[in-house]
């Protein structure tokens, strides 16, 4: 199950703008959503989409289709990077993952690029007890 939490056309945070080598006041699309299994939240998604590379994302319907599936169908990429870490739950994670403030969460940050153009950066924070197995 998927639920759109918010969608904003807003400037990038300074750290992402620096990594992407774009002006900090450049507006991008930020999409926050929740992924659930049997109505229980297991992942909070916080995604930035580069509108200079994927301008039609601004008009995309993310109420019924999650942004990752939409991007796979609409935005090519040539490489990606993944960073796994542990973080303490903040207010957003507490509210949507139904965890106590400061709870340890596994977080995956993934960036995709097309040549030198950033396509998207997504942070996925997983609720305690969630098990992910990849082959």
């Amino acid at each position: 199950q998927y639920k759109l939490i918010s969608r904003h056309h807003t400037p990038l945070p300074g750290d992402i703008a620096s990594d992407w080598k774009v002006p900090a006041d450049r507006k991008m699309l930020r999409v926050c959503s929740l992924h659930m299994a049997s109505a229980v939240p297991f992942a909070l998604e916080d995604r930035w989409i580069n509108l200079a590379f994927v301008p039609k994302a601004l008009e995309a319907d993310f109420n019924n289709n999650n942004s990752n599936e939409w991007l796979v169908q609409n935005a090519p990429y040539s490489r990606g990077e993944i960073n796994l870490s542990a973080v303490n739950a903040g207010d957003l994670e507490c509210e949507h993952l139904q965890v106590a403030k400061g709870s340890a969460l596994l977080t995956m940050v993934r960036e995709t690029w097309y040549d030198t153009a950033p396509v998207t950066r997504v942070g996925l924070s997983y609720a305690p007890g969630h098990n992910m197995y990849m082959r």
Side-chain angles (χ1 to χ4, degrees):
Q1 298 152 317
Y2 162 84
K3 176 185 173 189
L4 178 66
I5 296 170
S6 64
R7 173 193 180 124
H8 302 293
H9 187 211
T10 187
L12 279 172
D15 60 330
I16 299 175
S18 177
D19 289 350
W20 285 7
K21 297 177 178 47
V22 299
D25 62 347
R26 181 167 300 162
K27 288 189 174 183
M28 303 286 178
L29 183 60
R30 184 179 188 186
V31 179
C32 294
S33 55
L34 189 63
H35 299 270
M36 298 164 285
S38 300
V40 177
F42 71 87
L44 178 65
E45 178 179 329
D46 188 3
R47 180 182 297 274
W48 291 90
I49 300 173
N50 180 359
L51 293 172
F53 187 76
V54 194
K56 59 186 177 178
L58 196 54
E59 305 303 322
D61 175 15
F62 296 132
N63 288 304
N64 298 307
N65 302 309
N66 80 52
S67 56
N68 188 67
E69 291 178 15
W70 186 90
L71 283 162
V72 166
Q73 295 174 4
N74 292 278
Y77 66 94
S78 57
R79 67 181 175 93
E81 299 174 1
I82 293 177
N83 181 12
L84 299 172
S85 62
V87 299
N88 293 325
D91 293 336
L92 189 65
E93 293 86 4
C94 293
E95 178 183 354
H96 295 289
L97 293 176
Q98 302 169 2
V99 298
K101 189 163 183 115
S103 295
L105 304 175
L106 173 65
T107 298
M108 176 179 70
V109 175
R110 184 182 72 235
E111 286 189 341
T112 54
W113 298 71
Y114 187 80
D115 292 328
T116 61
V119 177
T120 187
R121 174 185 273 188
V122 59
L124 290 157
S125 297
Y126 295 94
H130 177 70
N131 186 19
M132 187 182 335
Y133 181 76
M134 302 164 116
R135 284 186 185 207

